[in-house]
Amino acid sequence: MKNHILDILPDELKKYIFSIDEKKYRVKQILNWIYNNNELNFSRMTTLPFEFREKLFNKFSNFLPGIIKKEVSRDGSVKYLLELEDELRIEMVLIPNKKKNTLCVSSQVGCARECKFCATAKMGLKRNLKVYEIVAQIFIILQELKKNKLTNIVFMGMGEPLDNLQNVIKAIKIIQHNSGFKFSPRRITISTCGIIPKIKELTESNLKVKLAVSLNSAIQEKREELMPMSRQYPLSDLKKSLIDFRKKSSFRITFEYVLIKNFNTGKEDIKALKSFLGDISCKLNVIVWNEVDTMPFKAPSEQEVKNFIESMQELSSAVTFRKSRGSDISAACGQLAAE
Ligand code: SF4
């Protein structure tokens, strides 16, 4: 079976080129076509000799997932439904905001983690995405954006990125590489529900990347209700693993907290959250729950939101508040289901 050309790091391409006694500068030419000119079709790489293009064609696959559907939200977010080589489907979301264009990428087809607020969880896990299927999402969006720049990448689409950690790490290395997409580490965020052994593995990998944790409650029993995986990975151990990550990382950890009416906005919730975050160098990102017909949770009232935000102001961590984007096209947090 052929390797995919987006599956390999520039050094691996170099090795191959040397192994077939081609000139060193061919590596640069190929990478330039792919990552600067957004060209994956070997026959259009016209600076390469015809026979060499044939060799590439025989060695590497250049399949790109197809865009099956594109939906534009009232707020400008765009949800893409992509079909993979085995006909499974994933979604990714482009979120424009002033001068920023953020791409929310998927890391798995479905997810095994069963968070109660998440539509992806209802699909179960079909499979992990391959490295090239992750990199291809950036490739496709750059083609779509034409001259506009992609500024940020967040692994908050379908799947738990840490459950596909090795492929996510390799994809990020390609995305960050100076001969790849040249993305700064500060513009890439991996979001996790809190898989402790994988946070340790990520820490040990020395990959430079931002980390976000979907917290949603700092009370163990409530978090278990919402996110059953936290029975296996309790808050106290999660906190230790995050402190260790932070020691090695130059970026503060972001905690995502989705406000749900009469569930996680009360006094005891606020007290527990303050105590949990108190000694971690972090940011808190508060998001209002988007009501979905098939789920039992309700959005909090404006007063509940106001009280919550006010009571968080005394934290030393930066607190940001945002409304979920793309809810009218089911592209907001927890709504991706590739239907
Ligand atoms: S929220 Fe994330 S980790 Fe939880 S089920 Fe959904 S995709 Fe998986």
Side-chain angles (χ1 to χ4, degrees), residues 89-308:
R89 292 172 174 193
I90 55 165
E91 291 179 326
M92 63 176 184
V93 185
L94 178 69
I95 309 157
N97 188 7
K98 295 179 187 148
K99 286 184 184 161
K100 272 189 0 188
N101 278 314
T102 301
L103 182 66
C104 181
V105 299
S106 291
S107 54
Q108 296 183 302
V109 186
C111 184
R113 291 298 171 179
E114 300 181 323
C115 301
K116 298 294 178 219
F117 51 81
C118 176
T120 309
K122 293 200 166 31
M123 294 173 68
L125 176 64
K126 302 256 169 34
R127 69 168 171 86
N128 283 336
L129 289 189
K130 295 172 185 159
V131 174
Y132 87 83
E133 291 168 330
I134 299 171
V135 179
Q137 294 174 64
I138 287 96
F139 192 90
I140 292 167
I141 219 66
L142 289 172
Q143 285 184 332
E144 287 281 296
L145 282 171
K146 299 198 172 77
K147 292 209 168 118
N148 292 324
K149 266 181 96 178
L150 179 64
T151 53
N152 295 72
I153 297 167
V154 291
F155 283 78
M156 293 184 187
M158 293 167 61
E160 162 55 61
L162 297 193
D163 279 340
N164 186 16
L165 184 58
Q166 286 314 314
N167 286 355
V168 167
I169 288 180
K170 188 167 183 190
I172 291 178
K173 283 184 180 168
I174 294 171
I175 295 164
Q176 292 180 345
H177 202 286
N178 266 342
S179 307
F181 287 126
K182 304 178 187 65
F183 249 83
S184 155
R186 67 177 56 254
R187 299 194 178 279
I188 305 176
T189 303
I190 294 179
S191 175
T192 178
C193 61
I195 313 295
I196 296 169
K198 296 290 177 174
I199 294 174
K200 289 184 181 156
E201 210 177 310
L202 179 65
T203 309
E204 280 154 20
S205 76
N206 291 324
L207 181 78
K208 290 190 171 51
V209 71
K210 286 184 165 178
L211 186 64
V213 178
S214 177
L215 188 66
N216 307 315
S217 177
I219 298 174
Q220 181 62 29
E221 299 72 34
K222 281 198 183 183
R223 194 162 189 265
E224 284 178 17
E225 214 180 299
L226 214 52
M227 305 168 79
M229 44 62 60
S230 58
R231 272 179 225 134
Q232 201 180 345
Y233 304 120
L235 281 165
S236 51
D237 294 347
L238 175 63
K239 185 166 173 171
K240 279 186 213 134
S241 70
L242 294 173
I243 290 173
D244 288 344
F245 178 86
R246 179 65 179 103
K247 278 183 196 151
K248 279 189 133 185
S249 165
S250 38
F251 307 119
R252 279 187 290 174
I253 291 162
T254 299
F255 288 96
E256 309 276 351
Y257 197 99
V258 178
L259 292 181
I260 301 171
K261 189 180 182 67
N262 296 332
F263 182 79
N264 59 1
T265 58
K267 280 191 184 140
E268 76 280 15
D269 301 293
I270 292 169
K271 192 172 159 210
L273 182 58
K274 281 183 181 168
S275 142
F276 185 83
L277 299 182
D279 47 354
I280 309 179
S281 154
C282 64
K283 289 189 235 174
L284 175 67
N285 197 2
V286 179
I287 310 150
V288 171
W289 168 253
N290 272 301
E291 288 191 16
V292 182
D293 290 344
T294 51
M295 292 192 197
F297 310 112
K298 297 272 173 245
S301 66
E302 275 184 30
Q303 193 57 46
E304 250 178 306
V305 176
K306 195 167 166 257
N307 292 348
F308 190 91

